[in-house]
């Protein structure tokens, strides 16, 4: 089935115009189909016509707790100052009816050697963000895919997927806590698929590293980088799998966040140092005889761990009158999730997901040397956030999906939040095959 997925992706790469096919089928290009450099590739003229697609995503949210007070207890909040209001990053989003990001994607072959891909996300707050914008080679380096620009980082499994293909309304908690949502970077990515009997892919990324848990350091060269390896294949005619491992290192300078000290004064603190992450991911798919049309099952799990070392400065604005003391800071935190989605009849699926985080060990020098107390850093108090989710969705066609999801979220300290989501996802225009 893994090979069928690869073949399907390759077929989609031929049938779909534009770089969307390269984006979605980049791991599926066979060695034999890649022309050697200097040899003129055979590319249909239609392949140079831009493929344009639009994703419409809307939700109704019924949240037990006030979303503006949302926090993932024990973890420095991504972005530092407020949760992501439209639910694409950290937090459940705003109550009531609303639209999430509408994704407009344009992709095409630039010439026989390069393709281009661009996705703009229009948020519910009428802001436009460049989600991805990159160029990559069209296969003239056998086995290699080289991408330059802005892209979703290759860390784990789900981070590289666009929101409209997620199996649940929101990202796992571990992505929200460790990356503040989907991690993107501006830089260069190199992937290599080895000519082996099983799927074997390895890659490297290096870039600006300005997004959480990194921060812009205004320096030449890479501020962040990572490596990854993926192994996959078929087990009989009905099963397939992919196993992956990832490592990433990022630098952060004055990565600020808000907190409230022991006297109730609002303060702004800042971390400076290095953030190192590693993760494991596993995906198993089942479909009778490799045909997922009627019934299929997908199991997915990821485990991340993050270690940070540096300094922590307290109260940058000196609201407490203590000056701005700073001292060493180190933390070691982890998180994971498991989920399963079963298509029990054509068009209908049901799934369940369980998330858990561990704030782990946090050593604050200002507390250890007695200048401040642990109560002056309540955000960093020990906690093990958890969340349980269940969903049912119905897809009238491959271009539309309706979903209902219930979550019991225990990310806050000593509070749980019952959340109900009703979602629609609609796809207009050309759309390439998705990754495994």
């Amino acid at each position: 089935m893994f090979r069928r997925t690869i073949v399907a992706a390759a077929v989609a790469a031929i049938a779909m115009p534009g770089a969307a096919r390269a984006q979605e089928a980049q791991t599926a290009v066979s060695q034999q189909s890649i022309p050697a450099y200097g040899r003129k590739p055979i590319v249909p003229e239609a392949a140079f016509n831009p493929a344009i697609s639009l994703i419409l995503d809307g939700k109704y949210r019924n949240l037990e707790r006030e979303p503006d007070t949302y926090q993932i207890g024990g973890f420095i909040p991504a972005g530092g100052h407020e949760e992501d209001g439209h639910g694409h990053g950290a937090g459940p989003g705003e109550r009531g009816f609303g639209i999430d990001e509408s994704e407009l994607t344009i992709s095409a072959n630039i010439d026989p050697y390069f393709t281009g891909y661009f996705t703009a996300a229009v948020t519910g707050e009428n802001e436009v963000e460049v989600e991805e914008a990159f160029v990559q080679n069209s296969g003239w380096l056998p086995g290699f895919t080289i991408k330059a620009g802005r892209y979703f980082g290759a860390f784990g499994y789900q981070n590289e997927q666009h929101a409209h293909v997620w199996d649940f309304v929101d990202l796992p908690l571990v992505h929200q806590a460790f990356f503040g949502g989907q991690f993107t970077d501006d830089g260069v990515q190199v992937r290599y698929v080895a000519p082996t009997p099983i799927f074997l892919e390895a890659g490297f990324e290096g870039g600006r590293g300005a997004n959480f848990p990194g921060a812009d350091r205004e320096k030449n060269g890479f501020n962040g980088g990572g490596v990854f390896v993926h192994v996959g294949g078929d087990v009989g005619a009905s099963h397939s799998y992919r196993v992956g491992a990832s490592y990433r290192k990022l630098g952060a300078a004055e990565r600020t966040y808000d907190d409230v000290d022991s006297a109730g004064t609002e303060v702004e603190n800042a971390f400076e140092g290095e953030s190192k992450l590693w993760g494991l991911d596993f995906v198993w798919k089942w479909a009778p005889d490799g045909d997922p049309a009627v019934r299929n099952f997908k199991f997915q799990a990821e485990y991340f761990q993050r270690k940070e070392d540096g300094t922590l400065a307290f109260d940058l604005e000196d609201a407490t009158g203590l000056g701005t003391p700073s001292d060493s800071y180190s933390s070691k935190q982890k998180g994971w999730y498991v989920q399963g989605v079963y298509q029990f009849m054509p068009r209908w699926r049901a799934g369940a997901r369980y998330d858990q985080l561990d704030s782990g060990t946090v050593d604050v020098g200002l507390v250890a040397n007695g200048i401040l107390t642990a109560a002056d850093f309540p955000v960093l108090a020990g906690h093990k956030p958890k969340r349980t989710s269940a969903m049912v969705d119905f897809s009238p066609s491959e271009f539309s999906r309706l979903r209902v999801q219930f979550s019991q979220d225990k990310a806050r300290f000593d509070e749980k939040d019952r959340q109900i989501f009703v979602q629609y996802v609609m796809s207009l225009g050309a759309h390439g095959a998705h990754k495994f």
Side-chain angles (χ1 to χ4, degrees), residues 266-302:
E266 295 184 356
V267 296
E268 184 182 45
N269 304 330
F271 167 78
E272 180 164 350
E274 290 184 341
S275 185
K276 301 174 184 176
L277 304 98
W278 64 269
L280 300 173
D281 61 87
F282 176 69
V283 178
W284 186 281
K285 294 184 178 181
W286 168 83
D289 298 321
D291 181 5
V294 178
R295 291 182 300 138
N296 65 77
F297 178 76
K298 178 183 178 184
F299 175 82
Q300 176 180 327
E302 294 186 81

Side-chain angles (χ1 to χ4, degrees), residues 71-315:
Q71 67 175 145
I72 301 177
F75 291 79
I76 292 178
H81 305 289
E82 58 183 8
E83 50 83 33
D84 188 323
H86 48 78
H88 203 151
E94 299 297 325
R95 282 171 163 161
F97 293 94
I99 60 171
D100 275 355
E101 291 183 353
S102 302
E103 295 180 356
L104 177 63
T105 298
I106 302 173
S107 58
N109 289 314
I110 298 169
D111 59 25
Y113 306 105
F114 296 99
T115 58
Y117 183 93
F118 173 82
T119 297
V122 183
T123 72
E125 292 74 35
N126 301 318
E127 297 174 348
V128 180
E129 301 172 353
V130 177
E131 194 166 69
E132 288 193 289
F134 59 80
V135 296
Q136 68 180 28
N137 65 306
S138 298
W140 40 267
L141 288 174
F144 283 92
T145 301
I146 302 175
K147 181 186 297 183
R150 177 172 299 177
Y151 46 79
F152 291 136
F155 190 93
Y157 177 73
Q158 185 155 341
N159 192 71
E160 290 191 278
Q161 296 183 336
H162 283 264
H164 66 276
V165 300
W166 296 350
D167 291 319
F168 290 82
V169 167
D170 41 18
L171 277 169
L173 277 182
V174 68
H175 290 79
Q176 298 184 27
F178 284 12
F179 295 115
Q182 280 185 286
F183 178 78
T184 61
D185 202 3
D186 296 353
V188 178
Q189 180 191 82
V190 179
R191 315 175 79 113
Y192 175 69
V193 178
T196 54
I198 64 170
F199 174 71
L200 174 59
E201 179 188 53
F204 160 82
E205 289 179 357
R208 189 176 185 86
N211 294 324
F212 189 87
D216 199 345
R217 305 182 76 175
E218 297 184 359
K219 58 180 284 188
N220 295 319
F222 298 145
N223 183 44
V227 294
F228 57 89
V229 61
H230 302 140
V231 177
D234 294 333
V235 180
S238 302
H239 301 267
S240 58
Y241 71 96
R242 200 199 84 166
V243 180
S246 310
Y247 174 81
R248 183 170 295 273
K249 179 180 177 182
L250 294 155
E254 202 167 319
R255 195 185 72 198
T256 59
Y257 73 96
D258 294 338
D259 208 342
V260 178
D261 76 350
S262 56
T265 305
E266 295 184 356
V267 296
E268 184 182 45
N269 304 330
F271 167 78
E272 180 164 350
E274 290 184 341
S275 185
K276 301 174 184 176
L277 304 98
W278 64 269
L280 300 173
D281 61 87
F282 176 69
V283 178
W284 186 281
K285 294 184 178 181
W286 168 83
D289 298 321
D291 181 5
V294 178
R295 291 182 300 138
N296 65 77
F297 178 76
K298 178 183 178 184
F299 175 82
Q300 176 180 327
E302 294 186 81
Y303 173 90
F304 296 168
Q305 190 171 107
R306 183 178 69 189
K307 188 175 187 304
E308 297 195 314
D309 294 289
T311 60
L312 185 65
F314 174 78
D315 189 14

